[in-house]
Amino acid sequence: MNTWELASKHAIRCDRPAADFFEGALLGNGGMGAVVTTRPDAVVIHFGHNNVWDIRIAENHQDQIGTFEDLFSKLKDIPSHYSSLSEDDWYREYVTMTSENYDFPYPRPMPCGSLLLGFDRRTTEVLGHKLALENGLCEIYFKVEGTDVTLLVFVDQHSDRLWAMLQYVEGKTEAANIFNRVRLIPDPHTPQELPKFEASIDVTAKQLSFRQTLPFSLEAAGSELEIVRNRSKNKAFRLSARLSSTIATIKDPQQLEAKLSEGKSTDSDFIVCVELQEGMDVDVESELKVIEAPRRDSFAAVFASSVEVWEAYWSRSGVSLEDEYLERIWYRNLYFFQCSVKPEATCPGLFANWSYGKIGSEWHGDYHMNYNTQQPFWLAFTSNHVDKHLAYVNMVDHVLPVSRKWAQDYYGLRGAYYPHSAYPVEMNMMPYPVPHWGWEVCETPWTVQSLWWHYLYTMDKGFLADRAYTPIKEAVLFMVDYMTRADAHGESWGDDRYHIFPTVVPELYELTPGFKKNSDCIVDLTLTKFLFRAFLDACEALGRIEEEDELLTEVRNILDHYPEYPTAESQRGTVFVSVAGEDPEVVYNVPNGISTVFPGEEHGLHSSPEQYRIAVNSYHNHRNEGGNELVFLNLAGARLGQLDLERFKRQIDYCLLPNGTCTDKLLESGGRYSDTTSFDYMGPMGIWFENFALPAVINECLMQSYNGIIRFFPNWPLDKRAEFRTLRAVGGFLVSAITDSGKIEEIEIYSEAGSTLRIYNPWSLATAIRKSGKEELTEEVLVLDTEMGETIRLIP
C-alpha cells in the first residue's frame, strides 16, 4: 500500500476565489497554523499558533467562592419543589459571582496577523487553489493576461515559517512579478488595551515586520511601567515577511504596506518567506531581525525537508477503501491532525492553531474536559500517531497543580479534581467554579483516561511510570475520598453502595433542586470504574501492589459495592439513561446514554447478549441535539457493529465546510435548542479541532481491540474491498488486513512489545505463518505468545 499516493488522491480543490476564512486552505506544522485565502484582488494568509495566547486571566472572588461543603450545605436548604435553583436569590447571585471571571474575553488564542499580497485584477485573475494532502503544498492558480501562473505556498515542518513562490510557465527565463503591493496586517480585533504593535520596514532587506507584546496581567495591559516590570512573565510574538522583489515605495510604515516593482525585474524570482517568532517577551527580538534572503534554492531545500516529514507521517498507517468517500475523510482529517498538533507545542484548544479576529475565541478557545479536549486524541492511538498524544499529556501535567489545589482547598479531599475548563496559562484557581457545570465529576476520570490508553496501545512501562501513573493516581485518590464521604454512602441511601453524589450530567440538567438528577450519572459511573480498573492494572504492571495496598483495598471495596447503571423502558425496550428516573425520550447534548459503550468501553460486541441488547437499544433510541456527537456517537455505533455507514457519510456531508473540515451542527430541537435556533450557529466560531478524530470512527469499523482481543472488520460490509496497514492495537501491535469479495483474505501483525496476541478468529480454520513455521488454529479466540519485533501472518 502506497499511503503517499493514496493521500495524493484526495487533494482539496476550490475553483474560484476563496475569500472567506472557512474557504481558505489550511496549512500548519503542529505549532504554527496558516489559512490561505484568495480574494479577487489579493492573496491573504492569516497566521495563528498554538503557543500564542492573550495570557491575561481574571481570578477575582477567590475569597468568596467558599468550600464545597459550605456550598453543598446551603444547596440542601433550597426547597426541592423549586423548578430551578435559580429561583433562589442567594444561588442566583452566587452563580453570577462565580461565572464573572469566565465572562471576560481572555485568555484566548491570539491571532498573529495576516500577510496580504495584492495585484491588479485588471490583468490578473484568481482561478482557484489546490491543497495537496501528501506534502502540504497549496497551489494558487492565476490567469495573467492569458498566461497561467501558480503561487506555491507551504509551511515549513521544522520551523515556524511559511514560504511562497511564483512558478512560471515552463521555458520562461525572466520573472514577471504579478504582485503590486504587500502588507502585514496585525489582527484588527487585537484588544485596544494591549500595547500597540511595533512596526518595522527595512527597504534594503525587503522586509516588513511587527511585534506584539502580550502582557501577563490586567495591570500590565494598562500601564507601560507595569509592562516593563512584568517582562519576565509577559509574552510576545513577531511576524516578519521578507521578499525577493524590490520594494518600490513605502505607502504607510505604520500600516506596514509597501508597493512592489511589477513585471520583469532584475530580481530572479518572486519569493516570500514569512517567519513567526513567539515566546517570552524577553526572548522575542525587540529589534527587527533580518531573515535570510529567500531564494529559489532555499525554497526547494526547505520544501524537500518538509516533504520528508510528510513521508514519515503517512508511512505510519494507511487505509485503501472501495468506499472512496470514507477514504477521503480518513486522509483529509489525518492531514489536518498533522497540521494542528505536535508534542513540542502547546496542546490545542477547541479551535487549534487557526484564528483571525473573533474566529477561534468562543468559549475562550479553551480546554473543555467533558469530551472536547480528549476527542481529537482518540485518533492518535489506532492511527499509530501516539506521539501526538504527548501534547495532551503535557496539558494534563499543566493542569495537575491547580487540580490538586482545588481538591485540597475546595473539597478538602486527597488527590486532584480536574477542571471543567482550563487554559494554557498560569492558573491559581479553577477558571469555571460555577457548580452547575463545575461539579461534573466525570471530568476527573475522563481527563486521565487516555493516559492509560497510551500505555495499553504501546505497552510502554516507562511512559506509564513517568507520565501516566501520578495523574491517574491523583484522580483515584479524589474519587475514593469523594465516594466514601458520609453524604455518598450509608443508611440514608438504603443500600451498601458507594455513590457519586452530588454530580452533574454533562450539559443537561445542571444542579437540580433536591438533587433529583444529581447522583450516579452513568458517565461518572462508567469512567470511574474504568479509572479504578486501570489503576489496579497499572499497579500490577509496575509492581506497586504492596506499595499501594491501602489505596487498592479502598478501590476494591468500592468496586465490590458499586451502583448499578440507571436504565429505563423505552419504545425499543430497556435502555441506559444518564440518571435514574430520566425520561428515555430526553434529547441529549453529550451522548450520555451510550457512554458505557464509549468512552467507558464496558459494553460492546464482546458483551453478554443481555447487556449487548440494552446497549444496542440505547444507541438506536438515542436522541441528540447535535453539535457534540459527530465522532462520539458514531464511534459508539461502530463499537456495537451498528453504525449505518451511509447515514454516517450523509451526516459528515451535512457538517462539511469548503475547507474540508467538519463543523459542529445541530440535529434537532426539543433539548436546549428551539425551533428558531440557527442550526449552524457554531460554524463561524472556528475550525473545530475535535472533529479531526473522524478517522478513529473508520478505524473502529475496520478493527477493534479495546478489550484486548483484536476483531477484524466488525462494522464493515465484507463485500466492499478494504485494506488497512499498521493500525495500532491494544498490546502494542501494528495490524494490517485485507477484505475483498466477501471474505477476509489475510492479516499481518507486528509485535512491538512481545505481548500475548489475542484475536477473534475470522475463519473456521486459520493458519499462522511465523519465523518458527506454520501452525493451524481453530479456536474461537486465537492466543499466541509473541516476541518483540516478530511479524505474524494469518491466512484462512
Side-chain angles (χ1 to χ4, degrees):
M1 179 188 293
N2 189 325
T3 52
W4 174 273
E5 288 186 4
L6 285 163
S8 71
K9 286 171 47 182
H10 302 296
I12 300 171
R13 291 177 168 85
C14 180
D15 59 1
R16 63 183 187 279
D20 186 76
F21 183 91
F22 297 97
E23 295 177 307
L26 299 181
L27 308 180
N29 60 16
M32 185 179 80
V35 182
V36 182
T37 65
T38 50
R39 303 186 329 208
D41 69 334
V43 174
V44 184
I45 304 175
H46 307 295
F47 292 89
H49 200 291
N50 282 324
N51 292 349
V52 180
W53 280 63
D54 181 345
I55 58 174
R56 296 173 295 161
I57 186 169
E59 296 188 320
N60 303 320
H61 310 300
Q62 294 188 49
D63 59 342
Q64 298 172 259
I65 290 173
T67 67
F68 167 80
E69 288 297 342
D70 289 341
L71 185 59
F72 187 38
S73 177
K74 291 181 179 179
L75 289 170
K76 290 177 183 176
D77 293 336
I78 295 177
S80 60
H81 65 266
Y82 280 9
S83 60
S84 168
L85 290 179
S86 61
E87 292 182 38
D88 183 87
D89 292 340
W90 163 79
Y91 185 68
R92 190 168 58 250
E93 292 172 4
Y94 183 84
V95 168
T96 300
M97 181 267 293
T98 51
S99 61
E100 177 187 295
N101 292 331
Y102 200 77
D103 291 339
F104 283 88
Y106 44 77
R108 58 153 291 187
M110 186 70 191
C112 299
S114 307
L115 169 71
L116 182 146
L117 300 171
F119 49 82
D120 187 341
R121 57 180 300 271
R122 292 171 296 183
T123 60
T124 303
E125 180 186 5
V126 174
L127 301 180
H129 72 260
K130 168 191 167 186
L131 175 59
L133 304 187
E134 74 272 20
N135 57 17
L137 181 67
C138 179
E139 299 179 357
I140 303 173
Y141 305 118
F142 301 90
K143 185 73 75 173
V144 183
E145 296 182 326
T147 300
D148 292 329
V149 177
T150 303
L151 183 68
L152 308 178
V153 186
F154 74 93
V155 164
D156 186 345
Q157 294 300 298
H158 297 285
S159 64
D160 291 333
R161 288 184 170 186
L162 175 141
W163 292 74
M165 180 177 72
L166 279 176
Q167 180 165 292
Y168 309 102
V169 176
E170 187 177 354
K172 191 168 184 178
T173 57
E174 292 182 298
N177 175 29
I178 68 172
F179 299 110
N180 59 15
R181 69 186 181 107
V182 61
R183 187 178 176 194
L184 279 187
I185 308 172
D187 193 78
H189 290 274
T190 300
Q192 292 187 354
E193 66 270 20
L194 292 185
K196 183 174 172 56
F197 65 86
E198 304 160 31
S200 307
I201 299 181
D202 187 325
V203 176
T204 304
K206 309 170 190 176
Q207 182 166 320
L208 301 82
S209 181
F210 76 89
R211 186 183 190 279
Q212 177 66 60
T213 301
L214 300 170
F216 167 76
S217 67
L218 298 172
E219 292 76 22
S223 163
E224 186 174 342
L225 177 64
E226 286 297 317
I227 292 170
V228 173
R229 186 180 302 161
N230 289 323
R231 201 170 175 210
S232 64
K233 286 192 171 184
N234 293 340
K235 292 194 174 184
F237 70 89
R238 177 183 286 278
L239 189 69
S240 305
R242 185 168 184 188
L243 302 100
S244 61
S245 293
T246 301
I247 294 177
T249 58
I250 299 174
K251 185 174 180 181
D252 186 341
Q254 286 306 304
Q255 290 299 316
L256 287 165
E257 183 171 7
K259 287 193 170 294
L260 301 177
S261 299
E262 294 180 79
K264 297 178 182 179
S265 72
T266 58
D267 300 317
S268 59
D269 291 296
F270 177 85
I271 306 172
V272 59
C273 177
V274 184
E275 179 180 79
L276 177 59
Q277 287 182 290
E278 53 76 26
M280 301 306 297
D281 188 26
V282 294
D283 297 326
V284 176
E285 304 281 350
S286 296
E287 302 298 326
L288 176 65
K289 171 192 167 189
V290 177
I291 304 170
E292 60 268 24
R295 303 185 311 273
R296 179 174 285 269
D297 60 348
S298 55
F299 180 100
V302 174
F303 181 63
S305 180
S306 291
V307 166
E308 291 178 357
V309 174
W310 283 106
E311 288 176 336
Y313 181 74
W314 291 120
S315 72
R316 301 291 294 174
S317 63
V319 301
S320 176
L321 307 176
E322 183 178 330
D323 191 316
E324 188 174 342
Y325 186 94
L326 290 177
E327 183 183 285
R328 181 164 65 248
I329 293 300
W330 197 92
Y331 282 98
R332 286 185 175 181
N333 283 279
L334 260 298
Y335 166 82
F336 298 135
F337 195 52
Q338 166 69 1
C339 291
S340 58
V341 59
K342 65 180 179 181
E344 298 83 5
T346 300
C347 181
L350 291 171
F351 307 109
N353 49 353
W354 297 290
S355 59
Y356 172 72
K358 300 295 185 183
I359 298 171
S361 65
E362 196 70 33
W363 294 294
H364 299 266
D366 65 9
Y367 303 133
H368 269 45
M369 303 312 298
N370 56 358
Y371 99 84
N372 304 86
T373 309
Q374 294 92 331
Q375 180 169 291
F377 296 97
W378 299 344
L379 174 60
F381 302 107
T382 53
S383 291
N384 195 23
H385 293 287
V386 184
D387 58 305
K388 297 282 188 185
H389 179 246
L390 293 175
Y392 179 91
V393 179
N394 295 337
M395 182 278 300
V396 175
D397 288 344
H398 170 71
V399 302
L400 183 55
V402 74
S403 302
R404 281 171 165 156
K405 185 173 186 289
W406 195 251
Q408 179 179 342
D409 296 349
Y410 182 74
Y411 283 99
L413 303 177
R414 297 177 296 172
Y417 181 87
Y418 291 96
H420 174 68
S421 294
Y423 312 120
V425 305
E426 185 177 314
M427 297 175 292
N428 295 305
M429 62 176 286
M430 286 295 181
Y432 196 81
V434 187
H436 56 231
W437 300 135
W439 284 10
E440 288 183 37
V441 176
C442 66
E443 290 166 330
T444 287
W446 212 338
T447 296
V448 301
Q449 179 183 43
S450 64
L451 277 63
W452 179 243
W453 279 337
H454 191 118
Y455 169 69
L456 287 181
Y457 280 86
T458 64
M459 304 308 290
D460 184 344
K461 287 189 179 180
F463 172 85
L464 178 61
D466 299 337
R467 303 298 307 273
Y469 186 81
T470 295
I472 289 173
K473 179 181 176 180
E474 294 295 295
V476 170
L477 284 166
F478 179 84
M479 292 307 304
V480 164
D481 283 4
Y482 196 71
M483 295 181 73
T484 55
R485 293 165 29 253
D487 284 307
H489 173 70
E491 292 183 6
S492 62
W493 288 90
D495 60 34
D496 63 350
R497 311 298 174 97
Y498 293 94
H499 298 273
I500 299 178
F501 172 75
T503 187
V504 176
V505 178
E507 310 283 333
L508 198 55
Y509 302 116
E510 302 183 359
L511 283 175
T512 55
F515 303 106
K516 291 185 288 288
K517 289 186 171 67
N518 299 116
S519 64
D520 293 337
C521 171
I522 196 168
V523 183
D524 302 324
L525 292 175
T526 190
L527 285 173
T528 301
K529 186 181 288 186
F530 182 102
L531 170 70
F532 286 164
R533 288 173 172 172
F535 184 64
L536 289 168
D537 290 345
C539 290
E540 177 73 29
L542 295 176
R544 298 184 182 180
I545 296 292
E546 186 175 344
E547 174 187 338
E548 300 289 4
D549 179 65
E550 183 177 344
L551 180 56
L552 291 173
T553 299
E554 293 177 294
V555 167
R556 293 188 189 99
N557 184 43
I558 293 174
L559 288 174
D560 288 342
H561 301 86
Y562 211 73
E564 298 291 334
Y565 291 135
T567 60
E569 293 304 313
S570 75
Q571 56 183 291
R572 288 172 173 80
T574 304
V575 296
F576 293 117
V577 290
S578 61
V579 287
E582 181 176 81
D583 183 350
E585 290 298 303
V586 70
V587 178
Y588 286 108
N589 171 266
V590 176
N592 295 308
I594 53 83
S595 59
T596 63
V597 177
F598 190 84
E601 300 195 322
E602 192 167 352
H603 298 134
L605 288 166
H606 72 287
S607 296
S608 67
E610 180 185 359
Q611 291 299 304
Y612 179 73
R613 185 179 66 255
I614 297 173
V616 169
N617 289 347
S618 304
Y619 173 70
H620 287 298
N621 192 65
H622 183 82
R623 301 179 65 192
N624 195 284
E625 66 191 15
N628 302 282
E629 83 311 321
L630 182 61
V631 173
F632 197 156
L633 181 59
N634 291 309
L635 198 155
R639 283 282 177 90
L640 292 165
Q642 295 289 314
L643 179 61
D644 181 334
L645 291 177
E646 296 304 314
R647 186 170 187 176
F648 176 48
K649 291 190 291 184
R650 290 191 293 271
Q651 188 182 357
I652 293 172
D653 223 31
Y654 170 60
C655 298
L656 209 55
L657 295 178
N659 60 17
T661 69
C662 281
T663 188
D664 283 350
K665 291 182 95 169
L666 304 189
L667 295 175
E668 64 177 292
S669 61
R672 298 184 306 173
Y673 301 120
S674 72
D675 287 330
T676 58
T677 303
S678 173
F679 270 42
D680 63 352
Y681 84 95
M682 287 182 275
M685 292 178 178
I687 308 298
W688 283 93
F689 178 49
E690 63 190 50
N691 290 331
F692 297 169
L694 276 167
V697 180
I698 299 169
N699 294 346
E700 294 292 332
C701 292
L702 302 174
M703 180 195 74
Q704 296 176 12
S705 66
Y706 63 91
N707 66 332
I709 309 174
I710 300 173
R711 188 187 300 270
F712 290 93
F713 303 102
N715 200 116
W716 189 265
L718 295 184
D719 60 338
K720 280 196 172 184
R721 188 183 187 281
E723 179 180 2
F724 61 85
R725 303 298 293 175
T726 57
L727 295 185
R728 183 172 286 274
V730 165
F733 297 105
L734 299 181
V735 185
S736 306
I738 303 173
T739 183
D740 197 6
S741 303
K743 62 181 183 297
I744 298 172
E745 294 187 344
E746 64 175 281
I747 295 165
E748 185 176 281
I749 299 173
Y750 176 78
S751 176
E752 278 190 341
S755 305
T756 299
L757 174 65
R758 293 177 173 84
I759 300 172
Y760 290 107
N761 191 346
W763 309 293
S764 57
L765 174 64
T767 300
I769 304 171
R770 312 177 69 167
K771 188 176 181 180
S772 59
K774 293 184 179 180
E775 182 181 357
E776 290 189 348
L777 306 164
T778 58
E779 296 85 355
E780 184 177 340
V781 176
L782 309 182
V783 181
L784 300 171
D785 291 330
T786 72
E787 296 179 1
M788 186 181 299
E790 179 183 10
T791 297
I792 300 173
R793 186 164 170 253
L794 294 166
I795 57 174

